[in-house]
Amino acid sequence: MSSIVIDHVSADGTTLESDVRTSADLERFFTNEPFRTDYDVPIEDVPEGILAIPVLAQVCPVAWANGADVYVDEVDTTFANALEDVKTTLCSMHEFLEGGTLYAKETVDIDPEASGESGLLFTGGVDSTCSYVRHRDESPTLISIRGWTITPEPADDDNWDHLRSRVSSFAEDHELETAFLESNMLSFLAHPMLLAHYKRYVDGAWYSSVGHGLGLLGLCAPMAYARGIEDLYVAATHWEGIDLEWGSRPDIDNHVRWAGTQCHHDGYELTRQERLDVIADYIRDEAPTLELQTCNDRMDGNCGECEKCYRTAVGLSLSGLEPTAHGYPFSDHNYREIQAALEDGQWVLGQDERHMWADIRERARETEQNSTEAAAFFEWFEQADLDDLVSESEPPLSHRLLRAGARNAPAPVYNTVYPAWTTAKSGLRRVRSSR
């Protein structure tokens, strides 16, 4: 019988650790690392049923992908019920997920004191900044997590320092508190092997398409309990009418809860362009020097050349703002570069980006362009087939073949080969981004 066993959960000062055992068929999806998360508040007084939440939030989707059961000594009753609701959503969204059962020696009902505090997962990008603007009257604690897009590896120390500095500066300017979490959730999981097995079923990677809504929110549980955070917001990436198989959606995030805390998927009723409108109004009324950070390639500012930088700069312009005043080096001649990149397949695009460019096209139809370059671009873009642009930007065949071979390769063999593939892939990304 396939199984995952949470052997023990311990809290030492601000550090949470958990050991995990699996049945032989699931060993390939885990490394030899214990699960570990470092917080910036003491968690030793947090109940064990809450301390178990971060590791359960990472391993349960892996269990559900393999029809495995999960065993833990103690878990908060509210979160155990939340897992059932999230499992129902994920299994209905992804046909390859089989489900499984959580077995706990004890489920505990915890009743913390009400505090009225709120928190917001925050990067300083479009979505999280819009959520801050919408909930600024609550003065939410800004929460930043290291472990997904910024890895725990030393090579990413500078990126983490840049993010912490930027978020701290934003918090100081707006008289807010911050919370910084560092976790090895993706090196504790054998993410390369998960990618090899399940990439064929999803538009993105494992964590983006399956795990990150439950995973990121679950990581916050001990910190939220210690700080008395009752409402925890995560900004929406997509919006109503987009039915993508994505790991963070209202029917996932709004189910996540534990004693004293309810999570909220925020801003789903707004398209990305409408979120930029919210930010634009805030800039004009209250924060004229606000800068966004959305770059795919840098954390110390925006490169101004990657797909996401160009997409955000165009969106800011359509919302009536000057991109260069808010973090994006951009001028009218860049429209020709955007057209060339889209036509030549220089960016790897998924359905995610397709919907965002379609949103831009809808707004452009309602907006008078203030330059001949912008008018020429949108005239071309109106006739462009977005599905063709996405299909022509697929990853190279060699990457797809490597993943296919890895599904039947022994885990140690694939995990040895994977770093070479990662290096090659990052090299390709740099070449494409520089064009």
Side-chain angles (χ1 to χ4, degrees):
M1 186 69 180
S2 297
S3 63
I4 299 173
V5 180
I6 312 301
D7 265 341
H8 86 281
V9 179
S10 66
D12 182 6
T14 60
T15 299
L16 172 70
E17 282 199 0
S18 303
D19 288 331
V20 172
R21 285 185 292 117
T22 74
S23 53
D25 59 315
L26 300 185
E27 288 179 352
R28 64 171 50 208
F29 297 120
F30 293 82
T31 64
N32 294 323
E33 295 182 37
F35 173 78
R36 178 187 177 105
T37 303
D38 292 308
Y39 300 92
D40 60 1
V41 293
I43 58 169
E44 290 177 320
D45 294 334
V46 174
E48 184 175 340
I50 301 292
L51 293 176
I53 292 174
V55 66
L56 286 171
Q58 314 311 315
V59 306
C60 282
V62 179
W64 300 334
N66 293 275
D69 296 329
V70 178
Y71 297 83
V72 66
D73 285 344
E74 185 175 313
V75 65
D76 169 58
T77 302
T78 301
F79 185 71
N81 293 332
L83 281 176
E84 289 301 307
D85 294 335
V86 172
K87 179 177 66 176
T88 297
T89 295
L90 283 173
C91 287
S92 65
M93 184 169 66
H94 292 296
E95 292 184 357
F96 69 89
L97 294 181
E98 303 174 36
T101 302
L102 173 65
Y103 293 96
K105 292 180 181 178
E106 184 178 6
T107 56
V108 291
D109 293 306
I110 303 166
D111 188 21
E113 293 184 10
S115 67
E117 297 295 322
S118 68
L120 167 66
L121 272 62
F122 189 79
T123 63
V126 171
D127 302 328
S128 62
T129 300
C130 175
S131 286
Y132 164 71
V133 173
R134 285 160 52 91
H135 297 282
R136 63 189 184 278
D137 290 345
E138 300 176 35
S139 297
T141 296
L142 303 183
I143 303 164
S144 300
I145 298 175
R146 179 178 186 177
W148 181 20
T149 56
I150 300 178
T151 73
E153 298 301 317
D156 256 350
D157 284 351
D158 285 346
N159 284 335
W160 180 238
D161 289 343
H162 290 312
L163 176 63
R164 285 180 61 107
S165 176
R166 186 173 68 251
V167 173
S168 296
S169 178
F170 185 97
E172 183 177 353
D173 290 344
H174 298 82
E175 299 182 348
L176 304 172
E177 293 188 6
T178 60
F180 296 103
L181 288 60
E182 301 186 47
S183 181
N184 69 341
M185 71 274 201
L186 288 191
S187 54
F188 150 76
L189 297 174
H191 194 255
M193 189 58 71
L194 290 167
L195 184 66
H197 276 254
Y198 301 113
K199 172 61 181 172
R200 53 185 163 159
Y201 299 119
V202 296
D203 183 54
W206 168 265
Y207 213 60
S208 58
S209 296
V210 182
H212 78 280
L214 173 63
L216 295 179
L217 291 169
L219 281 177
C220 297
M223 176 276 301
Y225 187 92
R227 288 177 175 266
I229 292 176
E230 293 185 2
D231 293 294
L232 180 58
Y233 299 100
V234 57
T237 299
H238 303 135
W239 51 89
E240 292 173 352
I242 297 179
D243 188 26
L244 289 181
E245 297 168 346
W246 188 247
S248 175
R249 310 188 333 173
D251 51 0
I252 295 173
D253 301 341
N254 290 342
H255 287 314
V256 181
R257 60 200 184 275
W258 52 85
T261 302
Q262 173 64 54
C263 299
H264 308 274
H265 187 85
D266 187 64
Y268 189 67
E269 71 275 19
L270 302 174
T271 72
R272 191 171 191 267
Q273 193 60 49
E274 289 169 340
R275 292 169 202 162
L276 283 167
D277 292 342
V278 171
I279 294 170
D281 288 342
Y282 176 65
I283 285 173
R284 284 187 282 264
D285 294 341
E286 298 185 36
T289 61
L290 177 69
E291 293 190 358
L292 299 173
Q293 170 73 35
T294 62
C295 186
N296 280 331
D297 294 333
R298 287 173 49 183
M299 294 299 296
D300 60 340
N302 296 299
C303 73
E305 298 179 349
C306 69
E307 183 270 337
K308 198 169 184 181
C309 278
Y310 278 137
R311 173 161 37 92
T312 306
V314 172
L316 286 168
S317 180
L318 290 172
S319 289
L321 296 178
E322 175 54 56
T324 55
H326 305 289
Y328 297 87
F330 189 81
S331 61
D332 287 338
H333 78 268
N334 291 124
Y335 283 107
R336 292 193 295 270
E337 297 177 5
I338 297 170
Q339 180 176 339
L342 290 170
E343 286 183 315
D344 297 344
Q346 295 175 24
W347 298 320
V348 176
L349 306 176
Q351 290 303 313
D352 194 42
E353 290 82 8
R354 182 207 177 280
H355 285 288
M356 294 187 184
W357 281 106
D359 184 35
I360 284 174
R361 182 160 65 184
E362 284 295 320
R363 175 57 59 84
R365 291 168 178 164
E366 308 166 0
T367 307
E368 183 177 350
Q369 304 308 318
N370 55 11
S371 74
T372 56
E373 291 90 346
F377 169 76
F378 284 114
E379 182 179 354
W380 165 82
F381 196 45
E382 177 65 30
Q383 304 302 319
D385 189 315
L386 293 177
D387 290 325
D388 284 349
L389 295 179
V390 170
S391 65
E392 291 170 3
S393 70
E394 287 185 349
L397 178 62
S398 58
H399 295 172
R400 286 176 273 148
L401 291 175
L402 178 58
R403 285 196 296 266
R407 288 194 285 274
N408 298 313
V413 172
Y414 181 66
N415 289 336
T416 299
V417 172
Y418 181 79
W421 174 46
T422 301
T423 300
K425 186 178 180 182
S426 65
L428 176 69
R429 186 183 303 116
R430 284 193 296 271
V431 170
R432 285 181 167 174
S433 296
S434 65
R435 291 179 60 182

